[in-house]
Amino acid sequence: MFSNADLSPDNAIEHSTFTAVSTVLATMAPQQWPQVAPYAADVLQALDQGHSYIRVDAAAVPLLQAAAPLVGAPGDFVPFVLSGNRLFLGRIWQLEHDIARHLLRLAAAPVNVADRDAAAAALRDWFPEASSRGQQEAAALALLQALMLLNGGPGTGKTTTVAKLLGLLCLGHNGTLPRIALAAPTGKAAARMSQALQQALGRFELPEHIRSHLQTLEGITVHRLLGLRPPMLQARYGPDQPLPLDMVVVDEASMLDYSLLNKLLSALPDGCRLILLGDHNQLPAVGAGDILGALSQETCVSGDLAAQLQQLLPESRWRQAADIPPLAANTAFLRVSHRFDDSSGIGRLARAVVAGDAEAAVAAYADFPAALHYRENLHQAVADLYRLQQDYWQAVAQADVAAAFAAAEQIVVLAARRQDAAAFNGAYRRYLGRHGHDTDAPWFAGQLIMVTQNDYDSRLFNGDIGIVLADAEGKPAAWFGEAGAYRALPLSRLPEHDTAFAITVHKSQGSEYDQVWFLPGEDGHSDRALLYTALTRARQTFVFGGNEAALCQALLTPRPRRSGLRAALAAQAA
């Protein structure tokens, strides 16, 4: 996190695009640019680290206030916006305020629950266990709100809650059932969302026509939902042509960057419900801002809303206040993990990481030696990975596509940095070449690949995982999962991609594996969010590529992002 000292002009670090920016703005305002330039460099550097603004010291405020037309007040159409002692790139300030305005617009839409008695009965029957009380309360709150953020870690039942909420909403419709879209930032997350929803729909009673309606839902990427196409990413749907939908559910919302979220929100018509699912402890998006971090807060409702909730759940109690922070009534947390309880090493360690409790993390390793391991020099363990992937390579030898995809989820190497993932992939490829695999060609049988660029013509999107295997004619092809099946794509038609035996933690979001190896990078590079995100991709076993001291250092490094979104919500709500 930047300090004021780090952001002083004397310490400015020239950004890679600073020269181009300087050329334009120096021409625009030659007298003001020399005073603004050091702060502009700091803003660009901060954006690279995910911050949406920098703080400047008191002496710089009058200097920047006098730097029109380069610097202006909130709402001015200028390259940089100064709000108090916070300096924003004008585009980022505007994005945060546009997002805030759209969120408040959607949240303000009235909702109608036609049959509250039926809803109350379904809430009672569909959430019978004491351990599902949090899910039940979240579903009731979402039933009465047009906008909902459902926050929870792995195994807390976000998708189960949404499946039952969709059922509740369909119960209240007489005649035409609502038009619903399921979306996620990546194809992998969208596919997993579809699979989890279909499984959840089989666990509770629903009228058959509603079950059939919900079973037709298929998760897609947000890009595909909006019809975004390169190179300019112009969207088919937007303010002038809203999405023809009644409800949108977005999973892995922590991965949404400001630009994509704003495009989505602006395309939703008034009255369309929006449900955002995510885990605010995970890594935020690669771009600036931390959407879930800014939106996540303890639930607080008005007296009127509490009375309506009481009708649905007579035994529940809700925190109330006369002056409610913006969107505090639109947020719910799921805290009971049905996958990682106290008998789970992954769960114990995850809770220690979230709490920043190094002592509890060390104790978790001691108590669960079968599930949690340290391994120094993990980046050199290519022979061990090959041994553990024998099911995978056997499926490759037999050209069994389904078995290969299933085996690929048994183990993954996750890296904090792209260069570490690339280095491991290179070492593993060389090892394979020495052990009977033909890795000299650009592609080889069994090569795991990850798409790195959206390509609408091939229906492949950033984050999609493929495997190189022979097609029906015996020709090498890239196979991808699609709607519960698999399809082959000629290698000549592959969009931009990387080898993916090792991938970055960012790219792994929305995925799960039996075993995760985590390469934390150089000392001081990893942080709490990286560690937590890597750890919670694991179902059974987690291997940390370092020692106890390195683990504790990452756990004790929070690196929060500076975001202006919460302040923008307060300003837009005023």
Side-chain angles (χ1 to χ4, degrees):
M1 184 171 178
F2 289 100
S3 68
N4 285 349
D6 293 330
L7 296 171
S8 66
D10 292 339
N11 293 330
I13 302 172
E14 187 165 306
H15 188 271
S16 58
T17 62
F18 181 78
T19 301
V21 170
S22 179
T23 300
V24 174
L25 297 186
T27 302
M28 177 180 173
Q31 294 183 338
Q32 292 81 6
W33 177 240
Q35 286 74 40
V36 175
Y39 298 97
D42 285 339
V43 170
L44 293 172
Q45 186 72 15
L47 286 173
D48 274 356
Q49 299 188 29
H51 303 286
S52 61
Y53 64 88
I54 65 169
R55 287 195 177 97
V56 298
D57 57 36
V61 171
L63 181 151
L64 292 168
Q65 288 174 332
L70 298 182
V71 181
D76 292 345
F77 186 70
V78 287
F80 298 93
V81 168
L82 183 67
S83 178
N85 70 336
R86 298 178 303 160
L87 185 66
F88 296 78
L89 194 67
R91 180 179 63 85
I92 297 297
W93 184 93
Q94 190 62 56
L95 270 174
E96 289 186 330
H97 281 257
D98 287 345
I99 288 168
R101 175 170 50 82
H102 282 303
L103 287 171
L104 293 170
R105 170 181 66 86
L106 294 167
V111 298
N112 178 37
V113 181
D115 190 339
R116 294 185 182 242
D117 290 339
L123 284 166
R124 182 185 63 246
D125 295 341
W126 294 351
F127 299 94
E129 303 89 358
S131 61
S132 65
R133 175 62 64 86
Q135 297 177 9
Q136 182 189 55
E137 292 180 345
L141 186 60
L143 184 64
L144 300 175
Q145 306 273 54
L147 171 68
M148 195 69 193
L149 169 60
L150 192 54
N151 218 321
T156 54
K158 294 188 294 291
T159 307
T160 296
T161 305
V162 166
K164 294 176 180 179
L165 172 61
L166 295 180
L168 282 167
L169 293 168
C170 289
L171 282 176
H173 274 256
N174 294 321
T176 305
L177 292 173
R179 299 164 297 174
I180 304 169
L182 308 179
T186 67
K188 182 72 170 179
R192 189 169 293 280
M193 181 189 191
S194 299
Q195 181 184 36
L197 182 71
Q198 298 309 321
Q199 292 172 348
L201 288 171
R203 300 193 191 110
F204 64 103
E205 294 297 325
L206 265 177
E208 191 54 41
H209 72 290
I210 294 177
R211 187 185 306 280
S212 297
H213 177 63
L214 297 179
Q215 285 176 335
T216 64
L217 299 178
E218 178 186 348
I220 59 174
T221 64
V222 177
H223 283 79
R224 185 176 165 195
L225 176 67
L226 296 174
L228 285 164
R229 298 189 67 88
M232 301 302 293
L233 290 182
Q234 294 297 315
R236 177 183 178 188
Y237 296 102
D240 297 329
Q241 187 177 354
L243 285 160
L245 295 169
D246 302 303
M247 189 183 316
V248 175
V249 182
V250 180
D251 200 8
E252 298 293 345
S254 63
M255 298 172 67
L256 292 169
D257 61 35
Y258 276 165
S259 179
L260 186 58
L261 176 61
N262 189 54
K263 283 182 170 69
L264 172 63
L265 297 177
S266 65
L268 299 182
D270 292 343
C272 181
R273 286 180 178 266
L274 174 63
I275 302 167
L276 300 173
L277 309 178
D279 181 352
H280 75 293
N281 293 308
Q282 281 193 34
L283 282 169
V286 175
D290 180 1
I291 290 163
L292 290 195
L295 297 181
S296 298
Q297 55 191 314
E298 290 301 317
T299 308
C300 185
V301 302
S302 66
D304 178 63
L305 181 56
Q308 296 181 60
L309 289 163
Q310 206 86 48
Q311 293 176 10
L312 296 173
L313 300 174
E315 297 180 1
S316 293
R317 298 294 180 266
W318 303 83
R319 189 164 71 95
Q320 301 178 48
D323 187 15
I324 302 172
L327 303 186
N330 303 83
T331 305
F333 284 86
L334 300 180
R335 293 187 168 91
V336 177
S337 178
H338 301 270
R339 186 190 312 162
F340 299 134
D341 57 19
D342 285 337
S343 65
S344 159
I346 302 293
R348 280 268 299 276
L349 182 57
R351 284 189 285 278
V353 172
V354 169
D357 189 337
E359 184 177 343
V362 172
Y365 260 83
D367 292 343
F368 296 94
L372 304 173
H373 307 275
Y374 297 112
R375 175 75 182 267
E376 298 203 52
N377 300 318
L378 187 58
H379 59 284
Q380 299 175 0
V382 290
D384 288 342
L385 178 64
Y386 186 67
R387 176 177 54 81
L388 291 170
Q389 283 190 322
Q390 286 309 297
D391 287 348
Y392 177 76
W393 291 110
Q394 182 177 352
V396 169
Q398 297 170 350
D400 188 332
V401 177
F405 271 93
E409 293 192 356
Q410 291 177 359
I411 184 169
V412 72
V413 178
L414 300 183
R417 305 181 304 172
R418 289 183 62 185
Q419 55 264 46
D420 293 324
F424 191 96
N425 283 320
Y428 194 51
R429 183 170 186 149
R430 291 190 292 273
Y431 181 88
L432 292 173
R434 295 193 299 270
H435 289 79
H437 298 269
D438 184 14
T439 59
D440 290 334
W443 298 283
F444 59 92
Q447 183 177 1
L448 272 172
I449 56 176
M450 173 176 279
V451 174
T452 57
Q453 185 178 59
N454 294 331
D455 186 273
Y456 288 84
D457 292 334
S458 63
R459 304 195 310 277
L460 293 175
F461 300 91
N462 188 6
D464 285 351
I465 293 288
I467 300 176
V468 177
L469 289 169
D471 62 15
E473 299 177 355
K475 298 178 180 178
W479 289 83
F480 293 88
E482 184 175 78
Y486 301 96
R487 65 183 177 97
L489 185 77
L491 296 175
S492 60
R493 291 185 55 201
L494 269 177
E496 293 293 323
H497 60 279
D498 290 328
T499 299
F501 295 105
I503 60 177
T504 63
V505 178
H506 271 284
K507 292 289 190 181
S508 74
Q509 288 175 273
S511 300
E512 294 175 0
Y513 305 89
D514 292 341
Q515 183 172 165
V516 167
W517 293 3
F518 176 44
L519 303 175
E522 299 174 352
D523 289 346
H525 183 82
S526 289
D527 57 39
R528 185 179 300 168
L530 268 167
L531 174 60
Y532 174 84
T533 306
L535 169 64
T536 53
R537 300 312 92 206
R539 299 187 189 102
Q540 299 170 6
T541 308
F542 177 72
V543 181
F544 181 81
N547 56 25
E548 180 181 295
L551 176 85
C552 292
Q553 181 183 23
L555 178 149
L556 294 171
T557 306
R559 288 206 184 104
R561 288 188 174 185
R562 290 183 175 174
S563 166
L565 182 53
R566 187 169 292 182
L569 280 166
Q572 291 289 328

